[in-house]
Amino acid sequence: MQHIDIKDIFDRKSGYTGKIVTVCGWVRTSRDSKNIAFLEINDGTAFKHLQIVADKNTIGDTAKFMPLCSAGSVTGTCVTAANNPDSVEINAEKIELLGACPPEYPIQKKPHTLEFLRTVPHLRVRTNTFNAMFRLRSKLSEAIHKYFLERNYTYVHTPIITGSDCEGAGEIFKVTTIGFSKDYKTEEEYNKADFFGRAAGLTVSGQLEGEVMATAMGKIYTFGPTFRAENSNTARHAAEFWQIEPEVAFAEIDDIIGIAAEMIKFVIRFALENCQDELGFFEKFYEPGLKAKLQTVADSEFARVDYSEAVGILKKSGKAFQYPVEWGCDLQTEHERYLTDEVYRRPVFVVNYPKKLKSFYMKQNPDGLTVAATDLLVPGVGEIIGCSERENDYEKLLAAIKERGMKISDLFGSAPVRVGAAQRVRAGA
Amino acid sequence: MQHIDIKDIFDRKSGYTGKIVTVCGWVRTSRDSKNIAFLEINDGTAFKHLQIVADKNTIGDTAKFMPLCSAGSVTGTCVTAANNPDSVEINAEKIELLGACPPEYPIQKKPHTLEFLRTVPHLRVRTNTFNAMFRLRSKLSEAIHKYFLERNYTYVHTPIITGSDCEGAGEIFKVTTIGFSKDYKTEEEYNKADFFGRAAGLTVSGQLEGEVMATAMGKIYTFGPTFRAENSNTARHAAEFWQIEPEVAFAEIDDIIGIAAEMIKFVIRFALENCQDELGFFEKFYEPGLKAKLQTVADSEFARVDYSEAVGILKKSGKAFQYPVEWGCDLQTEHERYLTDEVYRRPVFVVNYPKKLKSFYMKQNPDGLTVAATDLLVPGVGEIIGCSERENDYEKLLAAIKERGMKISDLFGSAPVRVGAAQRVRAGA
């Protein structure tokens, strides 16, 4: 069906003014008077709706176009909007109904709770909230690719089904073609009969494969789904989420911190430039001051503090924390919030954590107690990036795996290989 | 570690000529003489190696830099290459060994079989073959995003863990946190105790979710991993693969064919422009004439033939096919090859397949026998795209599901919802 995207009409107003165009879309608001009907339609290419002015002497009866979410095509002249010289509208010459919407349609022009919208997952994306959210997610994904690809990174797809447990946390979903069965006496027998002839699960991180790739392609990033079978119901845990995992050869902790800060700022700026309407919607209905907050993050010099120094600051704060602070403790949300919201008032990298808090693969510092790892904490949010220089000393790496009671075979599957043994290159991020 | 990407040196030769630069990388070839050593290093940002000229009077003993895959940093002056005025090389002033490579390192400067490389999966990406392949894959991924994002599509991440079987083929990997267990008497009890409280599996397609998104955002695409527990060992089947699934509202079969052809050509042109070195490598070592073949596809007008007409052509061909051809039969590789390689000699869309060969969601044509579906067949390759207009008649859709003995509950999980019932918009691609 020949038609143009509504976004193109908004983007190149002057190019279409005075011309006859055809657009398709869904009715998002409608208003009828004796001689004229006004419809706002949306085709999903822009967050904004396009106003259609329908003269009943030309169009005929407009009643069938009035119900919300009716789908149709409109042909008419693109003109400067009567009430906004910066926008355009269409004087309709022909409207065709492509999909009628019945009166019992569950999404009407009134506030719906997110709880209600959970019950109509096939329709909720048509609301402004979900529409804005998915559009923003798409733009953020675009920005992530743009950031890395413009800087000579190779985008790699690491395996989703894997035999390795990178984090050693055991929170892995199993993948099987058998599932429930009474046919096997032992787990070993079961695994042997399974699709891959061995136990397999969903990746918790593409990092180990990413490191392998980085020792050939120098700078790589993954951007794909990751899975954790965590039995927690918080807004910060999901069984399935998309994760970005850059791995960079010839990089040390300072380089990694630089990359993390630059990437976050790039992505935020991209959203501010390309998602004005969507962020405006969130600012109006969900979080006042959102754009200014994002702008502040994009413009600020991120702070940096050693973990040990941060512990000192927290202890001297005089605050009655629920979880007491001692060197060696994991920073809780209340501690992170104090650092970001009260001490630094901007994003802060906490650097050089105690090694027993962190994963086996992180570069051990000369002090023997800490690792060259950092978390980026952001005001009002908490941790959004965790990264580290990678351990490049094979014996230390082996010792760290053993110390944690992990099995090499869980990392490298049934055929453990000496990954990176021949290389002592620092890789991280 | 302060250094610049070798790709940037190749890309902006004049900008660096005469300047002192530091690069890092792995030694890919080395040659020693009495006074001068020549190293070619690669840092993974470019497929090409950068030549390093090391005067032993300046550098000292170069023996430790000679082993292949040694990692190091080089500081020196960037100059026009002695034997190639179009390229550059580095006159080293300082070389630092970052990672020594032992003599038993398994990848040496000689041909290795792909079978051997399977035994060193952590190292094989350092070979030219795998390096070129992963770089090409990254560029193709970039092109795919570029194509859709420039055309107002929204990139969506559809669920990987799902309760629905879109294709109804039953080739689904199960996802569980239980796996082998003797604790449950029935599958129902097992599923109830499982992580999601019900059976779950890995997606075979994001299409159904994509259709839902397209009825809000108009034009969407997915690009993510998809899984099939197919018990076949061919070069054309994989348990895990990345798939692109665009869904477009207000589009009919002709629009969909246009999008498919334009996208393929765009992606091929992007590779020809951005992967000269990688494609040159494949042409030299794997497939003579590769670039010309790709150029031909990019430049050709794709052919189009009705399935019924294609059957007629095959029957009249006089060829002794292994599988006889009759209207209603699935086209086998030999038939597809005859059409692409002998009849059309260019990519061809076969359109309007018998409905019983295709999935339930495809738009039924007025003839009652065929659906508005098409496969794109490419010479020397076979099918690379399958697409269709989507059925928008709810009663026909229900009937098609029943005809195939599928259960609605398999499509929509435990809480079947009437997807799209309120909409009669044509969506496809």
Side-chain angles (χ1 to χ4, degrees):
Chain A
M1 178 172 295
Q2 281 298 321
H3 65 280
I4 55 175
D5 292 345
I6 289 177
K7 181 175 191 302
D8 289 339
I9 294 183
F10 284 132
D11 286 355
R12 294 171 234 152
K13 292 172 200 92
S14 57
Y16 287 108
T17 313
K19 299 224 169 77
I20 291 186
V21 297
T22 298
V23 292
C24 294
W26 296 274
V27 173
R28 299 298 289 268
T29 72
S30 61
R31 187 158 52 86
D32 216 348
S33 70
K34 188 159 177 273
N35 291 313
I36 295 181
F38 297 93
L39 305 172
E40 283 194 313
I41 67 167
N42 188 297
D43 71 354
T45 63
F47 187 66
K48 273 195 293 188
H49 312 326
L50 177 66
Q51 174 149 289
I52 310 295
V53 182
D55 183 331
K56 293 184 181 182
N57 298 317
T58 316
I59 302 297
D61 180 23
T62 55
K64 64 182 170 182
F65 307 127
M66 291 293 116
L68 290 191
C69 223
S70 305
S73 79
V74 178
T75 300
T77 310
C78 184
V79 298
T80 302
N83 59 357
N84 180 359
D86 290 337
S87 195
V88 286
E89 59 190 25
I90 307 289
N91 283 338
E93 287 169 20
K94 191 181 148 203
I95 306 183
E96 190 188 348
L97 187 71
L98 297 171
C101 194
E104 67 268 25
Y105 185 69
I107 297 182
Q108 290 297 322
K109 201 176 155 52
K110 61 172 187 184
H112 294 288
T113 65
L114 294 178
E115 288 67 28
F116 166 72
L117 292 175
R118 281 183 79 85
T119 67
V120 285
H122 58 307
L123 300 176
R124 67 181 177 182
V125 68
R126 303 179 189 192
T127 63
N128 285 328
T129 295
F130 281 86
N131 201 329
M133 205 256 295
F134 283 117
R135 308 174 73 77
L136 181 62
R137 187 180 173 105
S138 177
K139 282 288 170 198
L140 293 175
S141 301
E142 180 177 356
I144 288 159
H145 283 299
K146 194 171 160 67
Y147 175 81
F148 289 110
L149 292 171
E150 283 178 357
R151 285 158 184 78
N152 303 332
Y153 286 71
T154 298
Y155 174 38
V156 302
H157 299 139
T158 50
I160 308 295
I161 300 176
T162 175
S164 89
D165 177 2
C166 170
E167 300 294 330
E171 289 167 331
I172 289 194
F173 285 106
K174 298 173 207 283
V175 173
T176 169
T177 45
I178 300 176
F180 171 79
S181 172
K182 293 178 169 178
D183 296 347
Y184 307 96
K185 286 198 184 63
T186 65
E187 185 154 16
E188 202 189 339
E189 202 186 301
Y190 179 98
N191 288 340
K192 214 164 173 179
D194 212 341
F195 190 85
F196 296 103
R198 49 162 297 185
L202 292 180
T203 185
V204 295
S205 166
Q207 180 190 314
L208 297 184
E209 290 90 351
E211 287 188 36
V212 163
M213 304 295 250
T215 57
M217 290 176 289
K219 301 159 85 173
I220 67 95
Y221 71 105
T222 71
F223 184 28
T226 318
F227 306 86
R228 301 274 163 92
E230 291 181 291
N231 215 340
S232 57
N233 291 299
T234 75
R236 293 182 63 73
H237 291 89
E240 173 178 335
F241 57 99
W242 281 60
Q243 188 168 233
I244 305 134
E245 298 189 279
E247 291 289 333
V248 181
F250 310 110
E252 289 152 328
I253 187 76
D254 291 350
D255 303 306
I256 298 162
I257 287 175
I259 293 166
E262 189 190 40
M263 187 202 74
I264 286 290
K265 291 179 185 186
F266 180 91
V267 167
I268 291 175
R269 278 192 206 109
F270 191 87
L272 283 167
E273 281 162 26
N274 293 281
C275 302
Q276 281 288 340
D277 294 335
E278 292 82 353
L279 292 174
F281 171 83
F282 287 127
E283 177 155 295
K284 189 167 170 191
F285 291 101
Y286 287 92
E287 190 171 340
L290 175 63
K291 285 188 191 179
K293 272 186 218 175
L294 290 172
Q295 194 65 57
T296 302
V297 173
D299 294 341
S300 69
E301 178 81 21
F302 290 7
R304 176 176 173 156
V305 63
D306 235 62
Y307 167 87
S308 302
E309 195 188 334
V311 166
I313 292 169
L314 291 165
K315 287 176 81 167
K316 278 186 222 145
S317 69
K319 284 265 169 181
F321 292 121
Q322 192 188 340
Y323 296 90
V325 180
E326 279 307 327
W327 196 96
C329 78
D330 216 348
L331 298 185
Q332 302 296 323
T333 303
E334 56 178 346
H335 310 137
E336 295 181 350
R337 281 286 164 93
Y338 179 74
L339 292 170
T340 53
D341 297 10
E342 300 193 38
V343 180
Y344 294 100
R345 296 173 189 273
R346 56 195 163 125
V348 54
F349 285 101
V350 179
V351 191
N352 296 323
Y353 280 86
K355 72 174 178 184
K356 70 181 169 73
L357 294 180
K358 293 290 183 182
S359 298
F360 73 95
Y361 48 71
M362 298 187 180
K363 174 82 182 162
Q364 294 169 40
N365 285 326
D367 63 16
L369 295 169
T370 61
V371 286
T374 184
D375 286 351
L376 176 59
L377 312 179
V378 171
V381 180
E383 182 202 335
I384 56 166
I385 298 185
C387 44
S388 74
E389 200 172 315
R390 307 309 188 200
E391 183 55 78
N392 55 12
D393 181 312
Y394 184 62
E395 300 308 327
K396 281 191 187 164
L397 199 54
L398 269 192
I401 291 169
K402 277 186 198 146
E403 263 171 44
R404 284 165 178 76
M406 296 169 69
K407 280 188 290 186
I408 287 265
S409 59
D410 286 348
L411 288 168
F412 304 115
S414 52
V417 284
R418 241 184 150 221
V419 172
Q423 287 292 317
R424 299 189 63 249
V425 173
R426 301 181 191 95
Chain B
M1 176 171 296
Q2 282 297 322
H3 65 279
I4 55 174
D5 292 344
I6 289 178
K7 180 175 193 301
D8 289 339
I9 294 184
F10 284 132
D11 285 354
R12 294 171 234 151
K13 292 172 200 95
S14 56
Y16 287 108
T17 312
K19 299 223 169 76
I20 291 186
V21 296
T22 298
V23 292
C24 295
W26 296 274
V27 174
R28 300 298 290 268
T29 73
S30 62
R31 186 156 55 86
D32 218 348
S33 71
K34 190 159 174 271
N35 292 314
I36 295 181
F38 298 92
L39 305 171
E40 283 194 313
I41 68 167
N42 187 298
D43 71 353
T45 62
F47 187 67
K48 274 195 294 188
H49 311 327
L50 177 66
Q51 175 149 288
I52 310 294
V53 183
D55 184 330
K56 293 183 182 181
N57 298 316
T58 315
I59 302 298
D61 180 23
T62 54
K64 64 183 171 183
F65 308 128
M66 290 293 115
L68 291 190
C69 222
S70 304
S73 79
V74 178
T75 301
T77 310
C78 185
V79 297
T80 302
N83 59 357
N84 180 359
D86 289 337
S87 196
V88 287
E89 60 191 24
I90 307 288
N91 284 337
E93 285 168 20
K94 192 181 149 205
I95 306 184
E96 190 187 346
L97 188 70
L98 297 171
C101 194
E104 67 269 23
Y105 185 70
I107 297 182
Q108 292 296 323
K109 202 176 154 54
K110 62 173 188 182
H112 293 290
T113 64
L114 294 177
E115 287 68 27
F116 167 73
L117 292 174
R118 281 183 79 84
T119 68
V120 286
H122 57 308
L123 300 175
R124 67 180 177 181
V125 67
R126 301 179 190 193
T127 62
N128 286 329
T129 295
F130 281 87
N131 201 327
M133 203 256 296
F134 283 117
R135 307 174 74 77
L136 181 61
R137 187 180 171 106
S138 177
K139 282 289 172 199
L140 293 176
S141 301
E142 181 177 355
I144 287 160
H145 284 299
K146 197 172 159 66
Y147 175 81
F148 289 110
L149 292 171
E150 283 178 355
R151 285 160 184 77
N152 303 333
Y153 285 72
T154 297
Y155 174 38
V156 302
H157 298 140
T158 50
I160 308 294
I161 301 176
T162 175
S164 91
D165 177 2
C166 170
E167 300 295 330
E171 289 168 330
I172 289 193
F173 285 107
K174 297 173 207 285
V175 173
T176 169
T177 46
I178 301 175
F180 171 79
S181 172
K182 292 178 168 177
D183 296 346
Y184 306 96
K185 287 199 184 65
T186 64
E187 184 154 16
E188 200 187 342
E189 205 186 298
Y190 179 98
N191 287 340
K192 214 164 174 181
D194 211 341
F195 190 86
F196 296 103
R198 50 162 295 184
L202 292 178
T203 186
V204 295
S205 165
Q207 180 191 316
L208 297 184
E209 290 91 350
E211 287 187 37
V212 164
M213 304 295 249
T215 56
M217 290 176 291
K219 300 158 87 173
I220 67 93
Y221 70 106
T222 71
F223 183 28
T226 318
F227 306 85
R228 302 274 162 92
E230 291 182 292
N231 216 340
S232 56
N233 291 300
T234 74
R236 294 181 63 73
H237 291 90
E240 175 178 335
F241 57 97
W242 282 60
Q243 188 168 233
I244 306 134
E245 300 189 277
E247 291 288 334
V248 181
F250 310 109
E252 289 153 329
I253 187 75
D254 291 350
D255 304 307
I256 298 162
I257 287 175
I259 294 166
E262 189 190 39
M263 187 204 75
I264 285 290
K265 292 180 185 185
F266 180 92
V267 167
I268 291 175
R269 280 193 204 108
F270 191 87
L272 284 167
E273 279 161 28
N274 293 281
C275 302
Q276 281 287 338
D277 294 336
E278 292 82 353
L279 292 174
F281 171 82
F282 287 127
E283 176 155 296
K284 188 167 170 191
F285 291 100
Y286 286 92
E287 189 169 340
L290 176 63
K291 285 187 192 179
K293 270 185 219 175
L294 290 172
Q295 194 67 57
T296 302
V297 172
D299 295 341
S300 68
E301 178 81 21
F302 291 5
R304 175 175 173 157
V305 61
D306 235 62
Y307 166 87
S308 302
E309 194 188 334
V311 167
I313 291 169
L314 291 164
K315 287 177 79 166
K316 278 187 221 144
S317 69
K319 284 264 170 183
F321 292 120
Q322 191 187 343
Y323 296 90
V325 180
E326 278 308 323
W327 196 95
C329 78
D330 217 348
L331 297 185
Q332 303 295 324
T333 304
E334 57 178 347
H335 310 137
E336 296 181 349
R337 281 285 163 93
Y338 178 75
L339 292 171
T340 54
D341 297 10
E342 300 192 41
V343 180
Y344 294 101
R345 296 170 188 276
R346 58 193 161 125
V348 53
F349 285 101
V350 179
V351 191
N352 297 323
Y353 280 86
K355 71 176 180 183
K356 71 183 167 72
L357 294 179
K358 294 290 182 183
S359 297
F360 73 93
Y361 47 71
M362 297 185 180
K363 174 80 182 166
Q364 294 169 40
N365 285 326
D367 63 16
L369 295 170
T370 63
V371 285
T374 184
D375 286 351
L376 176 59
L377 312 179
V378 171
V381 180
E383 183 200 337
I384 55 167
I385 298 184
C387 44
S388 73
E389 198 172 317
R390 307 310 187 201
E391 182 55 75
N392 55 11
D393 181 314
Y394 185 62
E395 300 307 327
K396 281 191 186 165
L397 198 54
L398 269 192
I401 291 169
K402 278 187 199 147
E403 263 172 43
R404 283 161 179 80
M406 297 170 68
K407 278 189 292 186
I408 286 266
S409 59
D410 287 348
L411 289 168
F412 304 114
S414 53
V417 283
R418 241 185 150 218
V419 172
Q423 287 292 317
R424 301 190 62 247
V425 173
R426 302 180 189 94

